[in-house]
């Protein structure tokens, strides 16, 4: 599945796990901690596990993390969530898209060149976001394409606050 099609909560969860995975590689994160800090729902986390992007294990268990545990043990306070290798790849795909959304949240509209330079993303990222409905496209007086956030993009740009 294309990671750019995930929900805002799933984006935040993958980004959070990728950002902090080095500090929790062995132990993992409590599922409740991820819910509180990212706004991802239990069902969204189960979907990520079903796709193989996150795995779980119960705290104190000697078995390695598996996606099945993240699915069956949800709601268990001992559940620890780990980012899998495909999850890390998905988080890497989301990162440039997040930079675009974050940039356009604060400064808009911007030309294609400004977005590519300021967010440090290739043009194919903008094309994907545009096709998925994240961006609104318009032309200025000089016939340059300007991008701003569409409604969908604004949903992803809003920071989560518990």
């Amino acid at each position: 599945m294309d990671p750019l099609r995930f929900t805002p909560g799933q984006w935040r969860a993958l980004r959070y796990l990728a950002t902090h995975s080095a500090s929790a590689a062995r132990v993992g994160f409590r599922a409740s901690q991820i819910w509180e800090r990212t706004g991802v729902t239990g069902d969204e986390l189960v979907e990520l596990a079903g796709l193989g992007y996150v795995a779980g294990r119960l705290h104190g268990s000697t078995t390695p993390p598996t996606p099945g545990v993240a699915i069956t043990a949800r709601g268990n306070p001992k559940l620890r969530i780990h980012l899998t290798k495909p999850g890390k790849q998905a988080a890497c795909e989301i990162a440039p898209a997040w930079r675009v959304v974050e940039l356009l949240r604060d400064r808009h509209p911007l030309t294609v060149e400004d977005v590519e330079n300021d967010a440090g993303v290739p043009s194919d990222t903008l094309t994907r976001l545009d096709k998925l409905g994240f961006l609104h496209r318009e032309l200025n007086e000089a016939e340059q394409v300007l991008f701003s956030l569409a409604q969908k993009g604004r949903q992803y740009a809003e920071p989560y606050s518990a």
Side-chain angles (χ1 to χ4, degrees):
M1 179 174 199
D2 181 1
L4 296 186
R5 293 185 185 273
F6 289 155
T7 66
Q10 289 170 322
W11 272 35
R12 287 190 297 268
L14 287 173
R15 288 184 56 249
Y16 181 83
L17 287 167
T19 302
H20 302 289
S21 64
S23 63
R26 199 166 86 8
V27 184
F29 286 99
R30 288 187 329 272
S32 60
Q33 180 182 11
I34 295 169
W35 298 330
E36 291 167 5
R37 296 189 180 171
T38 67
V40 69
T41 66
D43 290 338
E44 291 171 334
L45 206 52
V46 165
E47 183 181 354
L48 288 175
L51 293 168
Y53 292 123
V54 297
R57 78 178 170 84
L58 296 177
H59 183 67
S61 172
T62 57
T63 60
T66 62
V69 172
I71 294 170
T72 59
R74 76 176 187 184
N76 186 328
K78 291 187 173 189
L79 176 62
R80 299 295 190 259
I81 300 295
H82 297 260
L83 192 61
T84 63
K85 188 173 183 177
K88 288 178 187 176
Q89 291 171 339
C92 287
E93 280 188 56
I94 290 171
W98 170 252
R99 288 194 304 270
V100 169
V101 167
E102 190 176 43
L103 175 71
L104 290 174
R105 178 190 69 202
D106 298 332
R107 300 174 37 209
H108 61 86
L110 293 174
T111 64
V112 173
E113 293 79 22
D114 287 341
V115 175
E116 289 175 356
N117 290 330
D118 294 352
V121 298
S123 60
D124 67 321
T125 299
L126 295 177
T127 302
R128 287 176 66 195
L129 288 171
D130 189 29
K131 285 182 182 177
L132 291 171
F134 285 82
L135 304 177
H136 173 72
R137 174 190 293 247
E138 59 188 74
L139 292 175
N140 66 7
E141 310 82 40
E143 297 296 316
Q144 293 177 306
V145 174
L146 297 174
F147 280 125
S148 59
L149 289 178
Q151 179 62 33
K152 181 177 181 178
R154 284 192 290 278
Q155 291 173 339
Y156 285 72
E158 290 304 313
Y160 176 72
S161 61

